[in-house]
Amino acid sequence: MANNGDIHPFRIDIPQADLDDLRARLTGTRWPAQPGVNDWSRGVPTGYLRKLADYWATGFDWRAREAALNEVPQFTTVIDGQPIHFFHVRSPEPGAVPLLLTHGWPSSPVEYLKLVGPLTDPGAHGGDPADAFHLVIPSLPGYGFSNPIGPDGFNLFGVARAWAELMRRLGYERYAAHGTDVGSGVTGMLPMVDPGRVLGTHLSGTVAAHPFGPAIELDGLTDADRARAEKFNALREDGVGYLVMQATRPQTLAYGLNDSPAGQLAWIVEKFQEWTDPAAALPEDAVDLDQLLTNVSIFWFTGSGASTAHAVYEGMRAWRAFAAQQEQEQRPADAGQRQGPPTGVAVFAADTTIRSIMDPAGLIAHWSEYDRGGHFAAMETPDLLAGDIRAFFRPLR
């Protein structure tokens, strides 16, 4: 793979043989028996997943979704041996600010599609044209069409450096950045690897504390933060099996994810049930079902179930090494994240983020809490997320 800085137009074109193979595998799934309980307490219920898999095989129109995706300008480039796929949508507004959007796991740039219009052309979506952005939406290494994972593997610093280089190649000298989930980690590191060029960092999909750390003490918390802490403590005890597996035995998991679309579907859908707005009983009550299945389809067609498991493994190893270094130097693991440009945080109804834990010194410039939405805010409540991004960056332009 050349690493000469070239940027090439890209179109998604999944071979018909891959679509036929997907349908055959879904139709031939060997389903497990439903245990005595018919709820989500042991994972995705068999009856629910069978209905969803049947719709994926017979009702979901991949070609229509593929055509819609190809209406969004897409490109690829290679940075340090890593292929990077990205959407790049320029605003019609002359004063638009470049904005880098980074998704998380288990997701892809598809997560941000509902934000493209409101952020690039706010005047056409009931907003102020002065709030317009040029959007750069890359696929994380190992996700979707940013495959295979390059020789340097996956770590947040490496991805942040790649994003900085990507923005240089696009000619953006200064830019804004937003990220969610692991993308919030990448976004938080951008000012460290690209000092002086980042206008500000806006984060969502953050959590109260590291899931492998101690439980959160409840004393002294407000009622709202206590509820978030209780949710986090419950997740820490009963909701990190997916993370332990990916962080320790990704290759063992990879065989099932790479061979069974029903297994890949369950692996992702469970997170959309657990992490979306608590008022939504089912994933499709929180997000558009076809948008969700577009994301799952990209995972399947690109083998990203396996590669993202390895990305989590490598990312966790890099994070632990970084945290150990910070501890040795007697600094908190997030010490560098509050330096440099302003930070904004948006907390949605399903999130566990607690300001007194994340920002004990009160250094975060912008903090919003919403009673709707969840971990996939760009899909669930794009109106709230777009508004928060506009509000945070408005004085930083």
Side-chain angles (χ1 to χ4, degrees):
M1 292 177 291
N3 193 37
N4 55 12
D6 289 349
I7 294 175
H8 303 280
F10 180 82
R11 286 182 62 82
I12 302 171
D13 185 15
I14 301 301
Q16 185 60 40
D18 290 358
L19 284 172
D20 295 341
D21 176 71
L22 169 62
R23 294 190 180 103
R25 287 172 184 264
L26 287 169
T27 302
T29 300
R30 190 173 73 163
W31 294 101
Q34 175 65 43
V37 293
N38 189 25
D39 57 26
W40 292 75
S41 61
R42 301 190 186 192
V44 185
T46 305
Y48 173 78
L49 199 72
R50 292 189 74 151
K51 290 180 182 178
L52 197 57
D54 179 67
Y55 175 71
W56 192 14
T58 63
F60 175 71
D61 188 344
W62 166 256
R63 289 302 186 202
R65 303 301 291 190
E66 182 181 70
L69 288 173
N70 282 331
E71 292 179 2
V72 185
Q74 300 172 60
F75 304 86
T76 59
T77 191
V78 177
I79 301 174
D80 295 331
Q82 172 65 58
I84 298 296
H85 162 265
F86 60 98
F87 293 152
H88 183 203
V89 187
R90 290 188 60 83
S91 170
E93 298 296 332
V97 168
L99 173 62
L100 179 63
L101 300 175
T102 307
H103 66 85
W105 182 89
S107 196
S108 69
V110 167
E111 179 173 354
Y112 288 115
L113 290 179
K114 290 184 177 181
L115 293 186
V116 170
L119 291 182
T120 59
D121 193 6
H125 294 81
D128 185 346
D131 288 330
F133 295 96
H134 303 304
L135 297 184
V136 179
I137 317 174
S139 299
L140 288 166
Y143 290 70
F145 301 101
S146 288
N147 259 311
I149 295 180
D152 293 337
F154 184 103
N155 70 75
L156 300 185
F157 281 108
V159 177
R161 285 193 294 267
W163 281 191
E165 172 61 20
L166 175 61
M167 298 305 276
R168 284 190 187 91
R169 291 185 186 182
L170 293 173
Y172 294 134
E173 289 305 313
R174 299 198 72 205
Y175 58 94
H178 162 83
T180 185
D181 189 79
V182 65
S184 68
V186 173
T187 300
M189 291 178 179
L190 275 167
M192 288 184 272
V193 303
D194 207 14
R197 296 181 62 218
V198 181
L199 295 170
T201 57
H202 185 273
L203 312 178
S204 66
T206 53
V207 293
H210 196 273
F212 294 146
I216 296 174
E217 293 291 336
L218 303 181
D219 292 344
L221 296 177
T222 65
D223 289 346
D225 284 348
R226 185 183 183 93
R228 292 189 181 94
E230 289 172 344
K231 185 185 302 182
F232 171 83
N233 289 344
L235 177 144
R236 176 181 165 275
E237 289 295 323
D238 193 41
V240 294
Y242 77 98
L243 183 57
V244 172
M245 189 67 181
Q246 294 186 123
T248 59
R249 297 294 185 272
Q251 187 62 18
T252 301
L253 176 65
Y255 299 109
L257 295 179
N258 209 58
D259 189 60
S260 168
Q264 177 68 88
L265 179 64
W267 193 247
I268 292 179
V269 162
E270 182 190 84
K271 299 305 125 192
F272 275 80
Q273 194 275 334
E274 292 184 344
W275 295 350
T276 49
D277 192 322
L282 297 172
E284 61 266 34
D285 298 330
V287 302
D288 177 79
L289 180 57
D290 281 355
Q291 188 180 14
L292 170 57
L293 287 177
T294 301
N295 181 63
V296 175
S297 297
I298 289 174
F299 265 72
W300 174 255
F301 292 133
T302 61
S304 292
S307 55
T308 58
H310 283 282
V312 171
Y313 175 87
E314 294 177 357
M316 286 297 299
R317 287 171 65 88
W319 183 90
R320 284 170 172 150
F322 173 70
Q325 180 183 357
Q326 299 293 309
E327 184 177 358
Q328 189 175 33
E329 297 174 2
Q330 297 185 331
R331 288 189 291 165
D334 67 345
Q337 295 182 13
R338 305 294 172 253
Q339 300 172 6
T343 296
V345 175
V347 182
F348 295 88
D351 292 335
T352 62
T353 310
I354 297 172
R355 185 165 194 175
S356 62
I357 295 174
M358 184 175 182
D359 184 32
L363 299 179
I364 292 178
H366 171 99
W367 188 280
S368 301
E369 297 182 5
Y370 298 100
D371 60 3
R372 292 191 288 127
H375 193 73
F376 305 96
M379 297 173 70
E380 299 177 67
T381 52
D383 56 330
L384 297 183
L385 182 57
D388 206 77
I389 289 172
R390 290 172 184 163
F392 171 64
F393 286 111
R394 192 171 293 134
L396 305 179
R397 290 172 172 266

